[in-house]
């Protein structure tokens, strides 16, 4: 039997939304605009992320496909080789994954551009990136005063930032929801 009072769901939502609102205001808009331009110019876009960050990146890959961009999630069996002029975008709160840092090294060897979506400009992935876009939050195991567990703030701010970027890309390419819907999967029941 619980002896403490359980906080209300709406109170917890208010705490999360307040935190997101504060964190999303700290993004460097110029870097995100540069990423938008690179996405528009890239012939193909390769994306990567692990865990919950990877889910946000996968959702973004899906939306880029709906926008008519050729996108590939690294690690999928249908992923082709990266080439000069392609763009690789990866999300990692810590930027310390050896596998991800190795991918960026290899992508640069092949002449691809690299963009890191992360929490700090001073991590290993950021140092290997042509472009660093910051999202609110912290890596698992670190604390920054977030009311949320582990890397939840980063994952949420990444998801929202990427959804906002999709809206910017829609405006830039003069596409509407109907245009994206025409490229939506149509085989599901």
């Amino acid at each position: 039997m619980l002896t403490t009072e359980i906080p209300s769901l709406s109170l917890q939502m208010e705490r999360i939304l307040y935190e997101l609102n504060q964190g999303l205001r700290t993004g460097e808009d110029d870097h995100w605009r540069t990423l938008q331009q690179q996405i528009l110019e890239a012939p193909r876009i390769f994306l990567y992320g692990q865990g919950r960050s990877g889910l946000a990146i996968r959702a973004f890959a899906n939306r880029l496909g709906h926008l008519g961009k050729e996108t590939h999630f690294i690690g999928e069996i249908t992923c082709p080789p990266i080439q000069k002029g392609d763009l690789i975008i990866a999300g990692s709160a810590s930027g310390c994954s050896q596998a991800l840092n190795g991918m960026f090294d290899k992508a640069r060897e092949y002449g691809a551009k690299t963009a890191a979506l992360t929490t700090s400009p001073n991590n290993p992935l950021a140092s290997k990136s042509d472009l660093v876009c910051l999202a609110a939050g912290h890596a698992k195991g670190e604390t920054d005063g977030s009311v949320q567990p582990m890397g939840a703030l980063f994952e949420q701010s990444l998801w929202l930032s990427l959804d906002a970027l999709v809206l910017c890309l829609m405006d830039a390419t003069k596409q509407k929801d109907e245009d994206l819907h025409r490229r939506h999967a149509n085989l599901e029941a």
Side-chain angles (χ1 to χ4, degrees):
M1 175 81 59
L2 292 174
T3 58
T4 60
E5 186 176 325
I6 299 172
S8 74
L9 183 64
S10 61
L11 174 64
Q12 299 298 8
M13 292 287 279
E14 285 178 29
R15 293 174 71 197
I16 290 169
L17 291 172
Y18 176 81
E19 188 170 77
L20 280 166
N21 190 37
Q22 296 306 305
L24 292 172
R25 291 174 191 226
T26 63
E28 297 179 28
D29 213 26
D30 289 345
H31 293 194
W32 288 93
R33 275 195 207 101
T34 300
L35 181 59
Q36 175 184 327
Q37 193 59 43
Q38 288 182 353
I39 289 168
L40 291 170
E41 294 171 358
R44 299 182 309 167
I45 302 164
F46 292 74
L47 300 113
Y48 187 75
Q50 295 177 322
R52 288 168 42 116
S53 302
L55 294 174
I57 298 291
R58 283 179 185 272
F60 182 57
N62 183 249
R63 286 290 184 243
L64 289 176
H66 293 156
L67 282 163
K69 295 299 295 183
E70 183 179 339
T71 60
H72 303 280
F73 194 84
I74 297 167
E76 295 295 327
I77 197 164
T78 57
C79 188
I82 200 162
Q83 299 172 350
K84 183 179 175 104
D86 290 337
L87 172 63
I88 179 173
I89 303 169
S92 172
S94 71
C96 292
S97 162
Q98 288 182 354
L100 182 51
N101 279 280
M103 283 180 208
F104 268 42
D105 287 338
K106 189 161 262 193
R108 293 182 82 175
E109 284 177 28
Y110 287 109
K113 292 180 180 174
T114 56
L117 313 178
T118 188
T119 59
S120 170
N122 302 315
N123 63 42
L125 186 63
S127 70
K128 295 175 182 284
S129 301
D130 298 314
L131 178 64
V132 178
C133 294
L134 299 179
H138 62 279
K140 287 180 287 196
E142 297 176 4
T143 58
D144 66 354
S146 174
V147 299
Q148 300 181 72
M150 301 168 71
L153 178 59
F154 173 70
E155 296 141 5
Q156 293 160 353
S157 64
L158 183 61
W159 196 298
L160 291 173
S161 296
L162 293 173
D163 275 351
L165 185 55
V166 167
L167 292 175
C168 292
L169 291 163
M170 287 175 71
D171 287 346
T173 59
K174 298 183 180 7
Q175 294 190 64
K176 303 218 178 306
D177 192 55
E178 312 83 72
D179 300 311
L180 277 67
H181 189 70
R182 281 193 290 277
R183 297 184 197 100
H184 192 280
N186 63 359
L187 293 178
E188 62 269 357

